[in-house]
Amino acid sequence: MSELVLDEHGLVQGRAARPIPDGPQHCAAVLDQPVRDTPGAEALVGRSGRFTYGELDAAVARAAGALRALGVGAGDRVGATMANDVDIVIAFLAAMRVGAIWVGISGVLAEPEQDYMLRDCDASLHLGRHVPVEEWRERCAAAEPDTSRPAED
């Protein structure tokens, strides 16, 4: 049996996964092929909207620009307490696109519990509370699209 190796946070370091042949190699690239092959196909449906792959990619690019405008970059933690709707999917994909680390925080938790999680992970911001959803939507609509991707390992 091999010995476990822990990183500086006490998490077990695993071996790198083998790439998926002809598939996305990281979450930031998950839209690339469908945007290229079927941009008009329906990709995301929620209570507050419907998006084709092309529209979703454009929304994610604007959301990535909004995150960058808020100072979020690769390796930063982004806390999020949002409803299960299109906004959380777009925010998650945008966080992946800028190379940030997603920290989903349940809205069922009391504020002190959420605050503990945010402090513990050293989050740069908290979507849903520090940046309310309506403000997040406005920031995304006004943001310059960011189509960059995180560096490959």
Side-chain angles (χ1 to χ4, degrees), residues 82-123:
M82 302 168 81
N84 289 336
D85 198 10
V86 297
D87 295 306
I88 197 167
V89 174
I90 292 167
F92 171 80
L93 291 170
M96 297 301 98
R97 193 168 281 188
V98 301
I101 299 165
W102 185 260
V103 181
I105 299 174
S106 174
V108 176
L109 296 175
E111 280 191 24
E113 294 168 313
Q114 291 180 15
D115 290 340
Y116 173 81
M117 291 181 71
L118 292 166
R119 280 191 313 276
D120 188 56
C121 76
D122 194 27

Side-chain angles (χ1 to χ4, degrees), residues 55-152:
E55 293 165 343
L56 180 58
D57 187 58
V60 170
R62 286 190 307 276
L67 287 174
R68 291 219 190 264
L70 287 164
V72 175
D76 289 337
R77 278 101 176 136
V78 174
T81 304
M82 302 168 81
N84 289 336
D85 198 10
V86 297
D87 295 306
I88 197 167
V89 174
I90 292 167
F92 171 80
L93 291 170
M96 297 301 98
R97 193 168 281 188
V98 301
I101 299 165
W102 185 260
V103 181
I105 299 174
S106 174
V108 176
L109 296 175
E111 280 191 24
E113 294 168 313
Q114 291 180 15
D115 290 340
Y116 173 81
M117 291 181 71
L118 292 166
R119 280 191 313 276
D120 188 56
C121 76
D122 194 27
S124 298
L125 74 131
H126 184 193
L127 296 174
R129 199 166 98 214
H130 299 143
V131 180
V133 174
E134 285 305 318
E135 179 184 337
W136 172 244
R137 288 178 183 155
E138 291 168 8
R139 286 176 176 274
C140 290
E144 282 294 316
D146 182 335
T147 58
S148 64
R149 299 289 192 276
E152 296 287 332

